[in-house]
Amino acid sequence: RYSDFVQLQSAEKRLTPATWRQWQSFIKWAQLGMEEQHALLVFLAIRGLGKVKALGNSLPQDERSPEDIVLSLLGGSDSFVPSYGGLSPAMQATIELTFGSLKGFSLPQ
């Protein structure tokens, strides 16, 4: 339910009802179950971590792509990315495969 999803969001940054309807339409179209929805939200939440340069400083120079940075975080302690640690092994593998696949794409933004 929309109200459950947004209850902890501040009023100025709250997901709009229109965006919620679009999200629900996408979920229905893609036929995603609750587990897949959870994994998708985790993916969307953690993908930006790869753009934090400080997180990549400890990695070898050739392993500092945004995807490599996120994959290194996921390979460590579950407590660093608790939302990822709460996923099933199958959904964790799906997220890792997705980040691995994205390494091959470097599209200009």
Side-chain angles (χ1 to χ4, degrees):
R1 291 185 350 201
Y2 173 76
S3 59
D4 293 337
F5 191 81
V6 300
Q7 71 183 7
L8 298 177
Q9 297 174 1
S10 65
E12 57 274 355
K13 294 186 178 184
R14 184 170 294 146
L15 183 75
T16 66
T19 303
W20 174 258
R21 287 190 298 276
Q22 288 178 326
W23 172 255
Q24 292 304 304
S25 178
F26 169 75
I27 296 301
K28 204 177 271 188
W29 172 81
Q31 299 179 352
L32 298 179
M34 289 301 291
E35 185 179 34
E36 291 87 2
Q37 288 180 56
H38 183 195
L40 178 57
L41 289 171
V42 169
F43 171 81
L44 293 172
I46 66 176
R47 68 184 174 152
L49 292 174
K51 296 182 180 181
V52 179
K53 299 292 184 202
L55 293 174
N57 288 342
S58 64
L59 298 175
Q61 189 70 36
D62 62 339
E63 295 178 15
R64 292 186 184 178
S65 72
E67 297 80 17
D68 284 328
I69 293 171
V70 173
L71 287 169
S72 72
L73 295 173
L74 300 182
S77 169
D78 285 348
S79 63
F80 190 79
V81 188
S83 56
Y84 171 80
L87 295 173
S88 70
M91 291 297 103
Q92 288 180 355
T94 299
I95 286 179
E96 291 173 23
L97 285 170
T98 302
F99 278 110
S101 296
L102 288 174
K103 283 176 53 173
F105 296 96
S106 181
L107 303 174
Q109 300 200 20

